[in-house]
Amino acid sequence: MNKKNMKYLTTGEFAKLCKVNKQTLFYYDQIGLLSPVFKNEKGYRFYSIHQIELFFVIDLLKDLGMSLSDIQQYTQNKSPESFLTLMYQKKEEIAKKRQEIQMKEKLIETKITLMEEASRLDFHQITLEHLPEATLYLSRNIENINDEEFVEVISEFIGELNELQLDTGYPIGGITKREQVLKGEFSKYSYLYIEQLHPKEGYPYFQAVKGDFLIGYHIGDDKTIHNTYKRFFSEMERLDLVLGDFVFEEYIYDTVVKNQKEHYVTKIMIQVMKNKH
């Protein structure tokens, strides 16, 4: 190789083209990742313009989370085959990350929508509304379990949502059966649930049937929720309604947006039917 007839770049010139500082190049040389083509008798380092592409690949792999030691292993055993294998691997990783980012974007969009809707609600009003059929993903049954088991169920349920990618951004709610509500056990849930707007196939879902619901809001923690249910029962009596099979509860404002329990807001949806007398 005739060095006099080729254009070589000083460390400063090469660093400027690669948009890094010279110390990065010194370090790469020190660990054997990317070394200059030659050093002259004064110790000055010179790089070939052909090494720029190698630097960009190293930089790309580093951005994709590959360690310098793993990149070094590749650079010391380079081949078209190993390069192709590495690129396919990174392409697959990027596709997976893109999918995860898209899912997180949808979660954020849902949470924005729900919070904006909440800002327009009158938390002191109880309304009679006709709700469409809804698809819910349920936890295992949590009737008659102790506090320790309840924590275990919550952990298990959240783990399922993450692992199966079923977290839709909607709040996790609780389903109470008619008989529990009649006993005054308003927060004795039978199941936890999360709504699924676009259900995936192959999972056991609960279909919340369409029908009439009294919808209102409880402000405060569970200790005072019986007062809110009294208001619901008064409204049911006024409208000549009877309790249906299920009651659904979910937080509107919780620890995410409020610091004090007395400021929490729970949405209560009571399934109702006309009293047949």
Side-chain angles (χ1 to χ4, degrees):
M1 179 171 64
N2 187 351
K3 297 183 178 62
K4 293 183 180 178
N5 295 330
M6 295 186 68
K7 170 60 180 168
Y8 288 95
L9 304 168
T10 64
T11 303
E13 290 170 333
F14 192 76
K16 189 175 181 182
L17 282 174
C18 296
K19 297 181 180 177
V20 292
N21 56 47
K22 291 193 289 185
Q23 281 69 31
T24 298
L25 297 179
F26 292 152
Y27 180 65
Y28 283 3
D29 181 23
Q30 181 183 337
I31 64 174
L33 185 59
L34 176 64
S35 298
V37 175
F38 74 95
K39 300 174 186 177
N40 67 12
E41 60 278 2
K42 293 183 179 180
Y44 292 121
R45 304 154 185 258
F46 292 91
Y47 293 83
S48 163
I49 196 164
H50 301 299
Q51 290 179 289
I52 292 175
E53 183 62 28
L54 175 57
F55 178 87
F56 287 158
V57 169
I58 292 170
D59 206 42
L60 171 66
L61 295 174
K62 195 171 72 166
D63 282 346
L64 294 174
M66 197 168 172
S67 69
L68 289 180
S69 61
D70 286 343
I71 298 171
Q72 184 186 28
Q73 278 190 341
Y74 164 73
T75 59
Q76 291 177 352
N77 299 278
K78 288 181 281 193
S79 72
E81 293 77 18
S82 62
F83 178 73
L84 197 57
T85 299
L86 185 58
M87 290 298 101
Y88 272 122
Q89 178 189 332
K90 293 303 169 186
K91 182 182 178 183
E92 190 175 319
E93 288 176 8
I94 290 172
K96 186 178 178 182
K97 285 181 181 177
R98 185 190 300 118
Q99 185 181 23
E100 289 172 355
I101 289 171
Q102 287 173 342
M103 283 184 60
K104 287 175 182 175
E105 185 180 20
K106 286 179 183 176
L107 290 181
I108 289 171
E109 286 174 353
T110 299
K111 291 183 183 299
I112 288 171
T113 300
L114 292 174
M115 198 54 57
E116 287 179 342
E117 287 175 355
S119 68
R120 297 189 289 269
L121 294 172
D122 181 353
F123 295 141
H124 301 283
Q125 189 177 21
I126 294 176
T127 58
L128 178 63
E129 299 180 30
H130 187 80
L131 297 184
E133 185 178 81
T135 301
L136 310 177
Y137 182 75
L138 301 186
S139 71
R140 59 184 165 97
N141 189 287
I142 56 175
E143 295 172 15
N144 304 316
I145 63 173
N146 59 39
D147 290 344
E148 188 177 326
E149 289 172 317
F150 183 67
V151 172
E152 183 183 313
V153 170
I154 292 175
S155 176
E156 179 185 286
F157 188 59
I158 291 172
E160 288 174 10
L161 297 182
N162 292 330
E163 185 179 344
L164 303 176
Q165 298 182 344
L166 295 173
D167 187 354
T168 57
Y170 279 79
I172 293 174
I175 299 176
T176 311
K177 291 181 180 177
R178 181 176 186 273
E179 53 265 32
Q180 305 306 132
V181 176
L182 291 175
K183 290 178 186 176
E185 298 173 339
F186 305 120
S187 296
K188 193 169 183 180
Y189 301 137
S190 295
Y191 299 93
L192 302 177
Y193 73 88
I194 187 169
E195 188 171 351
Q196 302 287 305
L197 288 185
H198 306 287
K200 298 178 181 179
E201 291 185 8
Y203 296 103
Y205 293 115
F206 174 79
Q207 293 300 132
V209 296
K210 62 183 178 182
D212 293 327
F213 286 80
L214 275 183
I215 299 177
Y217 304 89
H218 169 66
I219 301 172
D221 62 16
D222 291 347
K223 293 176 183 176
T224 57
I225 202 167
H226 61 278
N227 294 323
T228 301
Y229 272 90
K230 282 182 184 177
R231 289 178 53 228
F232 270 97
F233 294 147
S234 295
E235 188 66 5
M236 286 168 61
E237 189 176 344
R238 187 183 74 82
L239 296 172
D240 198 24
L241 300 170
V242 293
L243 187 64
D245 292 329
F246 300 104
V247 174
F248 302 88
E249 286 185 14
E250 56 192 46
Y251 276 122
I252 298 295
Y253 293 159
D254 57 7
T255 54
V256 175
V257 296
K258 295 291 184 179
N259 288 322
Q260 305 298 327
K261 283 185 177 181
E262 54 265 30
H263 296 149
Y264 291 178
V265 177
T266 306
K267 183 178 183 179
I268 301 173
M269 294 164 281
I270 297 182
Q271 189 178 23
V272 292
M273 297 172 290
K274 279 289 182 184
N275 192 347
K276 296 178 181 178
H277 298 288

